Amino acid sequence: MSDSFHIAVIDLETTGPDTELDDIVEVGLLLCDQSLNIVDSFQRVIAPTRQGVDRLLGNDVVRSMHTESGLLAEVRLAAEAGLDHDAELARAEADAL
């Protein structure tokens, strides 16, 4: 039996802090070996719902953070493409696995 293992590090960016009302707008995943070397990665921007866009733009802290990181511009492109949030989230989950 091998003692090797992997660690998955997951980062979710959202339209705000409320898990019931806010949307996930980015999924990031790093797969690391036992020495914390990255062996694989995954990243996907997900179009928010209309409510999610409103919540993101209405929250100064979240809007500022996502503007500075460049994520807000990516989220706007995804939203303008008319992609369905739930379908994109399911696709991201399937692709990450």
Side-chain angles (χ1 to χ4, degrees):
M1 182 169 174
S2 172
D3 287 337
S4 67
F5 59 89
H6 288 93
I7 299 169
V9 180
I10 301 170
D11 178 42
L12 300 176
E13 296 297 334
T14 66
T15 59
D18 191 315
T19 59
E20 296 295 320
L21 298 175
D22 290 302
D23 295 339
I24 295 171
V25 292
E26 184 178 36
V27 176
L29 172 71
L30 295 176
L31 186 62
C32 302
D33 65 17
Q34 60 200 22
S35 298
L36 299 182
N37 298 305
I38 298 171
V39 296
D40 203 357
S41 64
F42 175 83
Q43 183 268 343
R44 176 80 48 86
V45 174
I46 300 165
T49 62
R50 181 70 236 164
Q51 174 184 326
V53 170
D54 292 343
R55 289 186 59 79
L56 189 158
L57 296 177
N59 184 318
D60 293 340
V61 173
V62 175
R63 185 180 65 247
S64 176
M65 179 178 59
H66 290 340
T67 298
E68 289 177 24
S69 71
L71 180 58
L72 183 59
E74 293 182 60
V75 167
R76 282 188 169 147
L77 288 174
E80 289 170 4
L83 301 174
D84 178 73
H85 174 76
D86 292 337
E88 286 298 295
L89 193 56
R91 188 173 299 117
E93 180 182 4
D95 290 349
L97 297 177

